[in-house]
Amino acid sequence: MESTKLNKNELINLIFYGIKENGINIDSIKNLEIELEFIIEEYTMLCNHFQKKYVIGELDTFKKAACLLVAINKSRLSSDKTIKASIALETTYKMCEKPFWNVGTNYDIPKKLEEVDFKKVFENDMEIYNTSRNILLDSLTYEDKTPLNYYLNLELFYKCALLLKNRSVNSCEKDEQNVFSNDQVAELDMNEVPKQKRKFLNLFRK
């Protein structure tokens, strides 16, 4: 991915990743091509609506990921709502591992952010990972929400993962000012791990 503007093949590859992560054989999905076309059309429509109504400039990765999350959840990739929600979530988590923000006067210049492998950085701290994931799964399964309800959660999840990644590389280094744009998250003390975890979990529950 060179920017937030993913082509059709890149989107399909992300969806296939989400399907495979849930142990589903792609060949077993009925009308797969039709469902993929539906997802891409719905994703494009949601992105256009989000941009026109709420954003100046281009959508960043987290907003586009939220649009893809909702589009997949509206599809019929699976008759099981929980599995379908899980496919949507695994797909969008993968998308958010290589995010871009948009900068410049018109917010149309893509700026690549640091890449993060979510499963790797959370492997020793699964409480935060599972809490965020379960909250989103419940919302996708039982509620009908728009991308506007999800993009901040995805962005926060990325920031949390980035913090854990940087802490594991060098626990003495503090670089919150360059990493975070959200004041609530930026105030976290990297030396107070239990306190940090409680704050993150409370943010996800809001």
Side-chain angles (χ1 to χ4, degrees):
M1 291 185 288
E2 299 297 329
S3 71
T4 59
K5 296 180 179 179
L6 304 180
N7 61 40
K8 183 176 180 178
N9 287 335
E10 288 174 320
L11 287 169
I12 290 175
N13 286 337
L14 284 169
I15 297 167
F16 281 174
Y17 171 85
I19 292 171
K20 291 177 181 178
E21 281 296 294
N22 283 274
I24 300 171
N25 187 335
I26 291 173
D27 295 331
S28 68
I29 301 176
K30 295 180 179 179
N31 302 317
L32 178 59
E33 290 187 9
I34 295 174
E35 292 307 316
L36 291 175
E37 288 295 334
F38 169 83
I39 291 169
I40 292 170
E41 289 178 7
E42 187 72 13
Y43 165 77
T44 302
M45 184 274 293
L46 290 169
C47 285
N48 290 337
H49 176 75
F50 202 148
Q51 184 176 15
K52 290 178 181 178
K53 193 165 184 179
Y54 299 108
V55 176
I56 298 175
E58 299 289 335
L59 297 181
D60 62 30
T61 296
F62 307 107
K63 294 179 180 67
K64 287 197 171 184
C67 291
L68 185 57
L69 184 76
V70 173
I72 295 173
N73 201 51
K74 287 184 175 182
S75 73
R76 290 180 289 185
L77 286 178
S78 174
S79 58
D80 187 310
K81 290 184 179 181
T82 301
I83 292 176
K84 186 171 61 176
S86 183
I87 293 172
L89 196 52
E90 291 293 345
T91 300
T92 50
Y93 274 176
K94 176 57 68 174
M95 185 175 175
C96 290
E97 288 183 342
K98 299 179 179 180
F100 285 81
W101 275 336
N102 294 294
V103 298
T105 303
N106 298 314
Y107 296 95
D108 58 355
I109 302 173
K111 176 184 178 182
K112 187 174 183 179
L113 303 181
E114 186 175 344
E115 295 183 10
V116 182
D117 184 327
F118 288 160
K119 291 186 176 179
K120 183 177 180 179
V121 299
F122 283 112
E123 62 184 355
N124 295 319
D125 209 334
M126 291 300 294
E127 185 179 4
I128 296 173
Y129 181 90
N130 288 330
T131 296
S132 175
R133 191 176 191 280
N134 290 337
I135 287 172
L136 283 177
L137 281 177
D138 286 345
S139 177
L140 290 166
T141 303
Y142 300 110
E143 302 176 51
D144 184 18
K145 291 189 175 182
T146 70
L148 192 65
N149 301 107
Y150 295 115
Y151 82 93
L152 284 177
N153 194 299
L154 294 172
E155 184 175 346
L156 177 61
F157 187 76
Y158 164 79
K159 290 174 179 177
C160 177
L162 189 59
L163 178 62
L164 292 176
K165 176 187 175 182
N166 290 336
R167 187 188 70 196
S168 66
V169 171
N170 187 343
S171 60
C172 296
E173 181 178 298
K174 293 185 178 181
D175 196 23
E176 296 96 332
Q177 184 176 359
N178 293 329
V179 173
F180 298 105
S181 63
N182 187 312
D183 291 336
Q184 280 184 302
V185 182
E187 292 174 359
L188 295 173
D189 185 347
M190 293 169 64
N191 293 319
E192 298 182 24
V193 178
K195 181 179 179 181
Q196 166 191 323
K197 183 181 292 187
R198 289 195 300 272
K199 285 187 177 181
F200 273 123
L201 292 175
N202 287 335
L203 284 172
F204 283 123
R205 291 190 178 103
K206 288 183 178 180

